[in-house]
Amino acid sequence: MSDNTSATVLPLLPALTAQAERLIELGVHTIAGLPAAELRTFAAAAGVPDGHGALLAVHPERAPASALAPLLHRDGRPGFVVTDMTDADLFSPLDTLELPDAPLYFLTGLDRGDRMANWSPDEALPALTAEARTPLLLTEGIHWVMQQPAALERNHCFMTIGSRLRKDNGALDARTPAIWISNGTGRDGRERRNAPKVGWCWAGNRHTWLGFASATGRPTH
């Protein structure tokens, strides 16, 4: 296991009020069945000063990954979910993660986890836990790229291992979700080259170009 020390310094996220307007512009409030005013009110009342880099998120039960992915854009191409991940919306938070019981919430202290590139998910999760960091859900990762496209760049993409799929016997499926940039090969199709891509990797595999997105928390108020 080796650290990747060539991390990119990302700009701060926009203020939550600006993020709310972005979600409304993209129609996320409609997907979630929420009035636009509710997003604006929540963002204004969250009490997060501008410049603190918090991320506004819609609860995954209200806005699933399959509905959010096409709202991502890069080089004029919309995002997509890989064809062999038809069950993307069934990936749910790890039992160790607690989401606010509300349609809207925010995350603090986001980090793309570039230093963990070339780690496997099985290696990264206990390390993040030991640092008191919480891995991002797939939908949270999509929200991040939606608000800050610079968070996704070639050779510096990320996994969202806070979301996992449970089998009928209760064991975790070996797939872990990730967001990266399509090369337009194989089943993706040439027309999707450079498009944001929601896919998966095996929990025991390492990839030099995938970090592990995490946050310091999801405040409940």
Side-chain angles (χ1 to χ4, degrees):
M1 208 164 43
S2 62
D3 286 342
N4 184 330
T5 57
S6 59
T8 301
V9 177
L10 296 172
L12 283 176
L13 278 158
L16 289 188
T17 51
Q19 292 183 43
E21 294 303 325
R22 175 65 174 158
L23 295 182
I24 293 166
E25 175 189 354
L26 292 172
V28 175
H29 66 300
T30 301
I31 293 171
L34 299 171
E38 186 168 345
L39 272 73
R40 293 186 174 113
T41 299
F42 176 86
V48 179
D50 292 356
H52 277 230
L55 175 68
L56 177 61
V58 179
H59 197 288
E61 292 181 357
R62 303 295 292 260
S66 64
L68 295 178
L71 303 180
L72 300 177
H73 283 83
R74 188 176 188 277
D75 289 353
R77 292 171 172 80
F80 67 99
V81 180
V82 294
T83 57
D84 60 351
M85 199 178 179
T86 57
D87 53 2
D89 295 341
L90 299 181
F91 282 69
S92 59
L94 290 168
D95 292 343
T96 54
L97 303 187
E98 183 176 352
L99 265 65
D101 185 18
L104 300 169
Y105 63 98
F106 65 92
L107 299 97
T108 56
L110 268 68
D111 180 75
R112 194 169 58 186
D114 291 0
R115 64 186 176 83
M116 289 183 170
N118 209 32
W119 292 34
S120 72
D122 286 343
E123 293 163 337
L125 182 58
L128 291 173
T129 302
E131 296 171 1
R133 296 192 62 84
T134 178
L136 259 59
L137 307 181
L138 175 55
T139 51
E140 293 169 349
I142 296 173
H143 275 290
W144 190 9
V145 179
M146 195 180 296
Q147 299 288 356
Q148 190 177 63
L152 201 66
E153 59 178 317
R154 287 207 175 275
N155 301 317
H156 292 294
C157 300
F158 59 87
M159 303 199 71
T160 53
I161 59 174
S163 294
R164 294 293 294 271
L165 178 66
R166 287 201 174 274
K167 301 178 181 179
D168 292 340
N169 63 4
L172 288 176
D173 186 279
R175 295 171 296 164
T176 51
I179 306 171
W180 70 92
I181 300 167
S182 174
N183 286 326
T185 57
R187 286 178 290 183
D188 289 1
R190 285 182 294 176
E191 70 280 3
R192 283 176 165 165
R193 178 172 173 76
N194 294 326
K197 173 178 178 176
V198 171
W200 58 271
C201 300
W202 299 118
N205 287 4
R206 298 172 180 171
H207 298 277
T208 59
W209 42 276
L210 286 174
F212 292 85
S214 66
T216 53
R218 300 173 181 85
T220 56
H221 61 276

